[in-house]
Amino acid sequence: MKNSLGNVYQRRNDELEYLKMHKKCSIAQLLDHFKVSSTTMNRDLALLVKKQYILREYGQIIWVGDLYQEPEILNLSAQKYQNRIVELAKNYRSIFVNASPIAAELIETLSQFTELKVITNCVPNDHSINSAQIVYLGGYLHKNHNYSFFAGDLVLKNLKLMSAEASFIYATGITEKMFTTQTLEQSLIDRTMVENTEVSYFWDGNFTIKNRGNFMISKRTTNTQVIGL
């Protein structure tokens, strides 16, 4: 049976986690652990080499992904971005908000606006928030080094059944041509949010306007805007 795109992304993330934990292994070890064909594994590894997560050397797979760390967002910058997003969000009746280091706190603030529907894959800080206007997409829990988010097929399935007037997307890389992020799964979720809204606002939290993440979310178009401070 053909794997769904969400399952492919999940497998590749599992491969990333395995390689990150073991640091060095052989293709035979990967094939034995993940129970996939050599063709599939070589295709996955080629992508990870291209994205500079691993090196292939004399039959060994070597993890080098720790050379990159997602930038931290300074508290002052985080508060300024949150204020800007809240001001923009108040102009809409429904929005998507992707996971980010400030998303949980942002959602808590947005829950005060009873006319605004917020759809998100972030993990809430305060599980007592029970607003009918806040929709958590569910899925399995994926952990980044400084925040967590819901991912997988359930998130994508739910997103494709929904629409919103605008999306607010945290990106770890912004260039003149595109917006990018650091994980396979988040890029697919973010892309689906962008495709289901008329306008998308991007922010990166660390002024890395010329930086580029490993996985594209969207190209820059007339329907995408960058939130500056």
Side-chain angles (χ1 to χ4, degrees), residues 41-54:
M41 181 55 66
N42 279 311
R43 183 167 57 242
D44 289 353
L45 293 176
L47 176 65
L48 299 182
V49 169
K50 181 179 179 181
K51 301 300 183 181
Q52 300 180 344
Y53 279 111
I54 62 170

Side-chain angles (χ1 to χ4, degrees), residues 17-63:
E17 292 301 319
Y18 181 91
L19 290 163
K20 183 177 181 179
M21 180 174 65
H22 290 82
K23 305 301 182 186
K24 186 176 181 180
C25 65
S26 67
I27 293 180
Q29 287 173 296
L30 290 171
L31 291 174
D32 181 64
H33 184 81
F34 289 101
K35 311 299 182 187
V36 296
S37 69
S38 58
T39 300
T40 296
M41 181 55 66
N42 279 311
R43 183 167 57 242
D44 289 353
L45 293 176
L47 176 65
L48 299 182
V49 169
K50 181 179 179 181
K51 301 300 183 181
Q52 300 180 344
Y53 279 111
I54 62 170
L55 296 175
R56 298 185 69 166
E57 189 174 81
Y58 303 109
Q60 295 292 305
I61 312 301
I62 303 169
W63 171 258

Side-chain angles (χ1 to χ4, degrees), residues 79-97:
Q79 188 59 56
K80 287 182 177 180
Y81 273 112
Q82 181 170 313
N83 293 342
R84 288 282 292 121
I85 293 169
V86 169
E87 286 302 310
L88 289 166
K90 286 160 58 176
N91 296 315
Y92 300 98
R93 292 171 297 176
S94 60
I95 61 172
F96 290 132
V97 175

Side-chain angles (χ1 to χ4, degrees), residues 201-214:
Y201 297 92
F202 287 84
W203 63 283
D204 74 344
N206 211 41
F207 310 107
T208 53
I209 299 301
K210 293 184 179 180
N211 284 359
R212 180 174 175 177
N214 279 331

Side-chain angles (χ1 to χ4, degrees), residues 14-182:
D14 290 343
E15 291 165 356
L16 281 173
E17 292 301 319
Y18 181 91
L19 290 163
K20 183 177 181 179
M21 180 174 65
H22 290 82
K23 305 301 182 186
K24 186 176 181 180
C25 65
S26 67
I27 293 180
Q29 287 173 296
L30 290 171
L31 291 174
D32 181 64
H33 184 81
F34 289 101
K35 311 299 182 187
V36 296
S37 69
S38 58
T39 300
T40 296
M41 181 55 66
N42 279 311
R43 183 167 57 242
D44 289 353
L45 293 176
L47 176 65
L48 299 182
V49 169
K50 181 179 179 181
K51 301 300 183 181
Q52 300 180 344
Y53 279 111
I54 62 170
L55 296 175
R56 298 185 69 166
E57 189 174 81
Y58 303 109
Q60 295 292 305
I61 312 301
I62 303 169
W63 171 258
V64 293
D66 291 332
L67 297 177
Y68 172 87
Q69 286 192 347
E70 188 172 309
E72 298 286 345
I73 301 177
L74 298 176
N75 288 336
L76 180 60
S77 296
Q79 188 59 56
K80 287 182 177 180
Y81 273 112
Q82 181 170 313
N83 293 342
R84 288 282 292 121
I85 293 169
V86 169
E87 286 302 310
L88 289 166
K90 286 160 58 176
N91 296 315
Y92 300 98
R93 292 171 297 176
S94 60
I95 61 172
F96 290 132
V97 175
N98 79 334
S100 74
I102 70 166
E105 184 177 350
L106 174 63
I107 296 300
E108 187 173 351
T109 301
L110 292 173
S111 69
Q112 301 172 23
F113 301 99
T114 57
E115 300 300 316
L116 175 64
K117 182 177 182 179
V118 181
I119 304 165
T120 183
N121 72 314
C122 86
V123 176
N125 278 338
D126 186 354
H127 293 276
S128 67
I129 296 176
N130 192 27
S131 171
Q133 295 299 99
I134 308 298
V135 178
Y136 292 101
L137 290 165
Y140 78 87
L141 189 63
H142 183 99
K143 294 184 178 181
N144 275 2
H145 81 284
N146 59 350
Y147 64 97
S148 300
F149 60 89
F150 294 116
D153 277 348
L154 181 59
V155 173
L156 296 174
K157 180 180 178 181
N158 288 337
L159 270 176
K160 290 174 182 178
L161 295 174
M162 300 177 182
S163 62
E165 294 177 335
S167 56
F168 291 84
I169 306 295
Y170 169 64
T172 56
I174 298 177
T175 70
E176 294 180 354
K177 294 183 178 181
M178 67 181 69
F179 304 97
T180 56
T181 190
Q182 282 306 120

